[in-house]
Amino acid sequence: MLVTHPFDDDKLREECGIFGVYDAEGAAAMVALGLHALQHRGQEAAGITSWDGRTFHSHRAMGHVAGNFDRDEVIRGLAGNVACGHVRYSTTGETSVRNVQPLYADLSSGGFAIAHNGNISNAMTLKKALVRDGAIFQSTSDTEVIIHLVARSNYRTLLDRFIDALKQVEGAYSLICLTSEGMIACRDPLGIRPLVMGRLGESIIFASETVAFDVVGAEYIRSVEPGELIVVTQDGEIRSHHPFNETRARPCIFEHVYFSRPDSIVDGSSVYSVRKAIGAQLAIESPIDADYIIPVPDSGVPAALGYAQQANIPFELGIIRSHYVGRTFIQPGDKVRHLGVKLKHNANRALIAGKRVILIDDSIVRGTTSLKIVQMMREAGASEVHMRIASPPTRHSCFYGVDTPERAKLLAHKMDVAQMCAFIHADSLAFISIDGLYKALGEAGRDSQNPRYCDACFTGDYPTRLTDFDETIEVNQLELLRERVA
């Protein structure tokens, strides 16, 4: 039986990653390299679509970029100097090839391919209306709704039809669209999902993260602004459009905590530096005596370094991670399933036996990882095991393209911090405060009236309408009210 690795279902999955290249020889090969750098954002499926001036070519498959796009015959089949690609986790829509992006359609104006990072939170409502009007959907992905809205728009130009479509959707999106007229890159009005622009010679490149530019040797130019559409025309002209009403941006704060690679720049800030600052702030807020600071690899490493430097406690690798374990493996029984936990993480017993340790991790979702890690430290002989978390408690589901469990399965929704500490069998547990997280990002604290970031997973303060989830949100709000009254 194939099942998910015990640690894999206890993290917030990283939405999706997108990458596009305009005017580059062998564009598809460059896109494949860029997607390699973005593989952490989606490990379920990958796809690339190219345009050779006459014909669109696509290759989409389940699995990683490596193995699907490392064969010469695949890249040769993706001819042209223009291409876009996508790596995916299924935040909406079933897990199948028909939902792998870029999605492609032949419109009246010609071919149209789209790669989407995010989630359209009124997609179900829009889809019902479109189906009633005769639309036929080929996937269960929310992204296909945008294609149908573009196809049915009465505006004259493709760009105007695209803008018309986006004005009907709610939620979060960064999009790269490939047409016979050029390439369009855009970001939702709140800038919830990231998107950056770069250049390599005469080639224009768009990506979810700057690290993808480093891999292909491109220069980072700037972030695509919230609500901005950038059009690259056939003659290489770059045009910027701002068709939406001006609103206060609220990019996802969890990009800084976990999603983005540490070597990326997000909204002008080094992710690595921010995570170290988060760790330092966590040490200020929740100090405790210990012999070693130990990161839960790999996402806890920068915050652990910041905590160790602030607390003046040695940083040590007390947990060793194997990088050769896939996301799934054979588990024929409970005994082997329990042993399988140590395939991915194992305690450095010689280091931690008899020592007081502080474990640093980026978040607690269901709590199963924290429970296993604390148990591992105990079995290795640690005299005390304390846990510090580099984000506030995750109490609410995300509806903006992050694959979070339903709220009832979030440990911080069911328990307070003391109960969570008892659940994972730690000697102490503390999270960074929401104000402390904002301070690590250079703010004075969280402005409850005008927060700088989307932090709904911590606060329940959703920045947009959530038409398809209104009932869920109303339940959440009632629960929040009960908690405050209690």
Side-chain angles (χ1 to χ4, degrees), residues 175-192:
L175 302 169
I176 298 176
C177 301
L178 185 57
T179 79
S180 57
E181 299 176 10
M183 180 174 282
I184 306 171
C186 66
R187 199 173 174 196
D188 66 77
L190 293 176
I192 297 174

Side-chain angles (χ1 to χ4, degrees), residues 5-7 320 322 325 329-347 349 372 375-376 379:
H5 191 282
F7 288 120
I320 307 302
S322 171
V325 179
F329 57 93
I330 304 291
Q331 293 185 334
D334 289 340
K335 183 176 181 180
V336 175
R337 183 178 297 113
H338 175 72
L339 294 175
V341 171
K342 295 186 177 181
L343 285 175
K344 192 167 186 179
H345 296 89
N346 192 41
R349 184 180 299 269
K372 298 291 186 183
Q375 180 183 358
M376 187 183 297
E379 292 174 351

Side-chain angles (χ1 to χ4, degrees), residues 137-187:
F137 281 75
Q138 301 299 312
S139 75
T140 60
S141 170
D142 60 330
T143 309
E144 191 178 355
V145 168
I146 298 174
I147 296 176
H148 283 274
L149 293 174
V150 173
R152 288 169 177 260
S153 175
N154 292 321
Y155 283 86
R156 186 178 63 84
T157 69
L158 177 60
L159 179 62
D160 286 337
R161 291 199 294 273
F162 184 58
I163 292 171
D164 180 40
L166 294 184
K167 287 185 175 181
Q168 298 176 63
V169 304
E170 301 169 1
Y173 55 82
S174 285
L175 302 169
I176 298 176
C177 301
L178 185 57
T179 79
S180 57
E181 299 176 10
M183 180 174 282
I184 306 171
C186 66
R187 199 173 174 196

Side-chain angles (χ1 to χ4, degrees), residues 248-269:
R248 184 180 176 88
R250 288 187 63 180
C252 173
I253 201 167
F254 222 88
E255 291 287 345
H256 296 280
V257 173
Y258 174 66
F259 293 143
S260 294
R261 267 181 45 167
D263 43 346
S264 280
I265 305 295
V266 173
D267 292 321
S269 298

Side-chain angles (χ1 to χ4, degrees), residues 27-49:
M30 188 180 296
V31 170
L33 287 173
L35 293 180
H36 271 289
L38 300 174
Q39 187 75 83
H40 61 287
R41 300 188 71 89
Q43 299 178 38
E44 178 182 276
I48 296 175
T49 298

Side-chain angles (χ1 to χ4, degrees), residues 31 44 66 106 123 146 163 186 189 209 242 248 279 286 292 359 363 365 371 399 413 441 480:
V31 170
E44 178 182 276
D106 286 307
I146 298 174
I163 292 171
C186 66
E209 294 184 38
H242 291 81
R248 184 180 176 88
S286 302
Y292 297 133
L359 299 171
S363 60
V365 183
L371 175 62
F399 299 96
H413 166 67
L441 283 156
L480 276 173

Side-chain angles (χ1 to χ4, degrees), residues 78-273:
L78 296 166
N81 289 351
V82 184
C84 65
H86 187 270
V87 288
R88 179 180 191 264
Y89 271 134
S90 57
T91 54
T92 65
E94 65 187 27
T95 300
S96 68
V97 173
R98 66 175 177 157
N99 287 328
V100 180
Q101 298 186 30
L103 297 183
Y104 174 83
D106 286 307
L107 307 183
S108 60
S109 57
F112 183 86
I114 183 170
H116 172 206
N117 172 22
N119 190 53
I120 305 304
S121 56
N122 64 337
M124 289 186 289
T125 303
L126 291 170
K127 183 175 181 178
K128 288 178 182 177
L130 288 164
V131 170
R132 281 197 302 268
D133 287 344
I136 300 173
F137 281 75
Q138 301 299 312
S139 75
T140 60
S141 170
D142 60 330
T143 309
E144 191 178 355
V145 168
I146 298 174
I147 296 176
H148 283 274
L149 293 174
V150 173
R152 288 169 177 260
S153 175
N154 292 321
Y155 283 86
R156 186 178 63 84
T157 69
L158 177 60
L159 179 62
D160 286 337
R161 291 199 294 273
F162 184 58
I163 292 171
D164 180 40
L166 294 184
K167 287 185 175 181
Q168 298 176 63
V169 304
E170 301 169 1
Y173 55 82
S174 285
L175 302 169
I176 298 176
C177 301
L178 185 57
T179 79
S180 57
E181 299 176 10
M183 180 174 282
I184 306 171
C186 66
R187 199 173 174 196
D188 66 77
L190 293 176
I192 297 174
R193 299 268 66 87
L195 191 62
V196 290
M197 180 170 64
R199 183 187 292 274
L200 179 60
E202 297 300 315
S203 305
I204 300 299
I205 305 176
F206 298 98
S208 294
E209 294 184 38
T210 60
V211 67
F213 297 157
D214 298 336
V215 170
V216 301
E219 173 192 2
Y220 166 56
I221 298 175
R222 65 177 177 88
S223 293
V224 177
E225 297 173 7
E228 181 183 20
L229 279 77
I230 299 177
V231 179
V232 185
T233 64
Q234 286 182 321
D235 58 6
E237 184 180 358
I238 301 173
R239 299 172 184 166
S240 174
H241 303 265
H242 291 81
F244 305 105
N245 295 329
E246 187 172 345
T247 185
R248 184 180 176 88
R250 288 187 63 180
C252 173
I253 201 167
F254 222 88
E255 291 287 345
H256 296 280
V257 173
Y258 174 66
F259 293 143
S260 294
R261 267 181 45 167
D263 43 346
S264 280
I265 305 295
V266 173
D267 292 321
S269 298
S270 159
V271 175
Y272 179 77
S273 296

